[in-house]
Amino acid sequence: MQQHKRPPASLLFIFGGSGDLNYRKLSPALFKLFIDGWMPEKFGIVGIGRTEYPGNSYHDRLLDGITQFSRRKGEQNGEWAEFSKHVSYLQMDAESEAEYQKIAEIVKQKEKEFGEHPNVIFYMSVAPWLVPDILKKLGPLNICADTKCTRVVVEKPFGHDLKSAQELNALLASMFDEEQIYRIDHYLGKETVQNILALRFANALFEPIWNRNYIEHVQITASETIGMEGRGAYYETSGALRDMVQNHILQLMCMIAMEAPVSFDANEIRNKKVDVLHAIRKITNEQVHQFAVRGQYASGWMKGEKVSDYRSEKNVAPESPNDTFAAVKFYIDNWRWQDVPFYVRTGKRMHEKATTINIQFRPAPSYAFPPEAAETWRANRLTISIQPEMDIRLRFQAKQPGQSLSLTPVDMTFSYKDAYEGQEPEAYETLLLDVMEGNATLFMRADQVEASWKVIMPILDTWNNRPPVDFPNYAPDSWGPEDAEALIARDGHNWITLASK
Ligand code: BG6
């Protein structure tokens, strides 16, 4: 086992202990941290849920999730047996106030066992509408007043719109200090996303040209091939704009557009990001149709398999106006980015699963070369592939070998796979470790969440008030509706895919 500085003693309560997120992500991540020697010397994990788990069946269920989803499968030479000693299940009705005393008792008991007061972490891995009620019952426990050691982790979606996000923030603020609150956006835990800061600020090469003088436009695509996968009920209350743009995509945009931080202090980084959100040009209700496009997938074929339309998915209304695709053009009004468009798009049932950021540079003046040499001339482009490919590619011109002078674009590529041995940590491993260590850099602050809701509210309101007339409007296995092509083509650009030159 590798040796690291471990986080202090921690006791983690997972509300939604019997749920899908714990099964697929949290427990596999915690187990992986354990195997790699990152868990505290003293720790306890308590899953909380309504479901009954007689005997060993809770452990069996978690092991099943780990076998399916952890990068370290199965029992791992007895390490599971060791890990599972720290894991227990508390069956309780989260709606009954009296039951919360059970939590206080477990904390006391663990304090005795550990011989010290541990960090106490409450992870809200439950449906969003249950969160306020749980917080109201949890907040009055004495333990929550301990601003140093007690933390609460809130999953997305954080609110449903600006108003509900403000209400949730106010509720949290009435019981916890901001330093105790960890709002998760799992994209921020991805290695490739964190690397954007290294790329920009640990190299002298990029920053001098990282502005409107050299960059023509920026594109962010987060496309998925999956449909609803049983999440229809949630998705009906969300849609692509809320589910992906309000959080993940705006966060990526902040990483690309922020000014250089003066330190890696959590608040310093978050201040710089929130500045970007405040500088995003407000889209008025009247402008929404020029700046935003929505879509919903039809039935059709996906890699040889017949798939149903969105409206036929389980728990989706037969005439649902909900968006499964969204594309938006943003501008950031500041000295660095004035008039540089940021095109973003995301959708379900699209042609490929890929999250990529393209920085398209302005063309070089080509006067010195004969016209035939420059026929295949392309402007420089930096492509940051977040997933599933994890690489950074810089496109530049090269002379094609031969007696004639002909220029073609070539790529210089940094690939994680080739450069580093071993696998990079999963986002949830990074984020859970940060919570135990008390490092909030990769988490959303209250004002960040509200600022990003403010950015998308005019689009949400306008779409809400004008039901779509053309849904479903894109085929599965495509790149979304035609209007999304028009959105960018009007400015003389194309959406860039991994295959495009
Ligand atoms: C989640 C969304 O936040 O992110 C899902 O709710 C989406 O709808 C998922 O599928 C995408 O995450 P990733 O890490 O697979 O890109």
Side-chain angles (χ1 to χ4, degrees):
M1 192 185 282
Q2 295 168 43
Q3 287 308 315
H4 309 281
K5 184 171 179 299
R6 292 161 181 257
S10 300
L11 179 57
L12 179 62
F13 290 94
I14 302 177
F15 284 89
S18 52
D20 212 45
L21 185 74
N22 187 29
Y23 176 69
R24 284 168 184 260
K25 297 282 185 193
L26 305 182
S27 287
L30 289 163
F31 183 47
K32 174 74 170 35
L33 286 173
F34 179 77
I35 292 176
D36 291 345
W38 283 107
M39 284 303 278
E41 302 278 353
K42 299 170 188 168
F43 74 94
I45 302 169
V46 184
I48 299 180
R50 229 189 255 264
T51 318
E52 237 180 273
Y53 283 103
N56 253 347
S57 56
Y58 186 64
H59 283 174
D60 292 346
R61 176 169 160 79
L62 297 189
L63 181 58
D64 184 53
I66 284 164
T67 310
Q68 284 191 55
F69 303 108
S70 178
R71 292 178 302 117
R72 297 285 189 89
K73 311 266 180 228
E75 306 200 13
Q76 295 284 331
N77 303 326
E79 274 161 317
W80 165 254
E82 206 38 55
F83 175 77
S84 61
K85 284 185 198 154
H86 300 260
V87 181
S88 56
Y89 182 71
L90 171 63
Q91 190 202 3
M92 75 172 236
D93 175 5
E95 280 173 35
S96 146
E97 205 160 340
E99 301 257 299
Y100 283 70
Q101 276 316 314
K102 290 183 185 170
I103 295 178
E105 278 156 29
I106 295 179
V107 175
K108 264 198 217 133
Q109 178 197 324
K110 287 285 169 191
E111 232 171 16
K112 246 197 227 151
E113 187 184 315
F114 294 165
E116 61 182 300
H117 180 67
N119 286 332
V120 178
I121 298 160
F122 297 109
Y123 199 117
M124 301 293 136
S125 168
V126 291
W129 49 91
L130 298 175
V131 173
D133 194 47
I134 295 179
L135 288 173
K136 279 183 204 153
K137 300 198 166 79
L138 196 61
L141 293 183
N142 284 342
I143 179 86
C144 290
D146 180 347
T147 54
K148 269 218 170 86
C149 297
T150 302
R151 292 166 202 153
V152 54
V153 184
V154 188
E155 267 290 336
K156 73 167 273 270
F158 195 90
H160 180 72
D161 52 16
L162 177 60
K163 187 165 167 281
S164 54
Q166 284 168 331
E167 284 165 5
L168 187 52
N169 274 334
L171 177 66
L172 281 160
S174 69
M175 288 174 293
F176 301 96
D177 275 6
E178 181 61 32
E179 286 64 39
Q180 293 178 272
I181 307 166
Y182 288 71
R183 298 172 192 79
I184 284 215
D185 182 319
H186 80 277
Y187 265 55
L188 296 181
K190 292 181 191 275
E191 273 297 308
T192 36
V193 173
Q194 293 176 64
N195 196 39
I196 297 173
L197 293 193
L199 174 84
R200 288 193 54 199
F201 303 126
N203 296 294
L205 197 59
F206 300 107
E207 214 38 35
I209 53 166
W210 207 261
N211 57 51
R212 63 194 299 271
N213 298 328
Y214 296 92
I215 294 177
E216 184 180 68
H217 73 269
V218 176
Q219 295 187 19
I220 303 178
T221 294
S223 56
E224 295 185 90
T225 50
I226 54 169
M228 282 307 108
E229 314 242 293
R231 293 170 80 223
Y234 153 73
Y235 206 79
E236 276 283 269
T237 65
S238 166
L241 192 71
R242 280 194 180 92
D243 189 46
M244 294 290 290
V245 179
Q246 184 271 337
N247 34 69
H248 308 322
I249 290 188
L250 283 180
Q251 281 305 305
L252 294 181
M253 212 169 124
C254 287
M255 307 279 273
I256 295 296
M258 67 191 267
E259 295 301 318
V262 293
S263 75
F264 266 68
D265 172 73
N267 275 329
E268 168 61 9
I269 304 266
R270 297 190 291 182
N271 287 343
K272 291 290 190 285
K273 286 191 190 167
V274 98
D275 282 349
V276 174
L277 294 170
H278 288 152
I280 293 179
R281 192 180 299 169
K282 190 170 177 341
I283 299 172
T284 63
N285 293 1
E286 294 67 39
Q287 290 169 328
V288 165
H289 68 283
Q290 294 165 32
F291 283 84
V293 171
R294 59 182 150 168
Q296 190 189 76
Y297 57 83
S299 62
W301 293 87
M302 213 53 228
K303 326 274 177 241
E305 199 186 305
K306 181 109 180 84
V307 295
S308 69
D309 58 330
Y310 173 69
R311 290 175 174 176
S312 310
E313 297 263 15
K314 199 170 155 223
N315 295 323
V316 170
E319 311 232 313
S320 173
N322 199 21
D323 50 304
T324 61
F325 173 96
V328 189
K329 172 164 89 165
F330 291 112
Y331 284 105
I332 300 171
D333 286 334
N334 61 19
W335 276 73
R336 192 191 278 268
W337 296 114
Q338 183 77 48
D339 292 333
V340 177
F342 282 69
Y343 303 97
V344 309
R345 63 175 173 169
T346 184
K348 303 278 187 196
R349 287 274 184 246
M350 291 176 70
H351 179 63
E352 67 188 7
K353 161 95 182 161
T355 304
T356 45
I357 302 172
N358 280 289
I359 315 289
Q360 179 66 55
F361 290 92
R362 295 190 186 282
S366 61
Y367 60 84
F369 291 90
E372 61 281 11
E375 263 169 24
T376 45
W377 190 282
R378 295 281 183 281
N380 296 122
R381 178 196 294 163
L382 185 73
T383 302
I384 304 172
S385 293
I386 306 289
Q387 59 184 23
E389 297 308 320
M390 298 173 67
D391 56 39
I392 298 177
R393 261 169 298 149
L394 183 62
R395 183 175 76 180
F396 60 96
Q397 314 304 321
K399 179 189 171 302
Q400 221 169 1
Q403 300 306 346
S404 60
L405 179 58
S406 177
L407 301 169
T408 47
V410 291
D411 280 346
M412 203 154 65
T413 305
F414 151 69
S415 146
Y416 276 75
K417 254 199 304 229
D418 299 343
Y420 300 115
E421 271 181 24
Q423 286 173 320
E424 62 297 328
E426 282 276 345
Y428 274 99
E429 292 166 33
T430 305
L431 296 173
L432 283 161
L433 183 60
D434 281 356
V435 177
M436 290 187 282
E437 283 176 339
N439 179 359
T441 314
L442 300 180
F443 295 81
M444 308 281 290
R445 213 170 49 189
D447 56 339
Q448 270 180 301
V449 176
E450 292 181 16
S452 52
W453 276 115
K454 274 188 197 144
V455 168
I456 68 156
M457 279 321 291
I459 308 176
L460 278 180
D461 286 341
T462 307
W463 285 0
N464 214 10
N465 294 334
R466 288 188 216 143
V469 287
D470 60 346
F471 275 11
N473 62 353
Y474 71 96
D477 206 7
S478 72
W479 283 107
E482 273 197 21
D483 285 354
E485 303 298 327
L487 176 81
I488 190 164
R490 279 200 293 272
D491 298 342
H493 311 306
N494 292 311
W495 289 108
I496 300 162
T497 60
L498 286 180
S500 52
K501 275 280 166 199

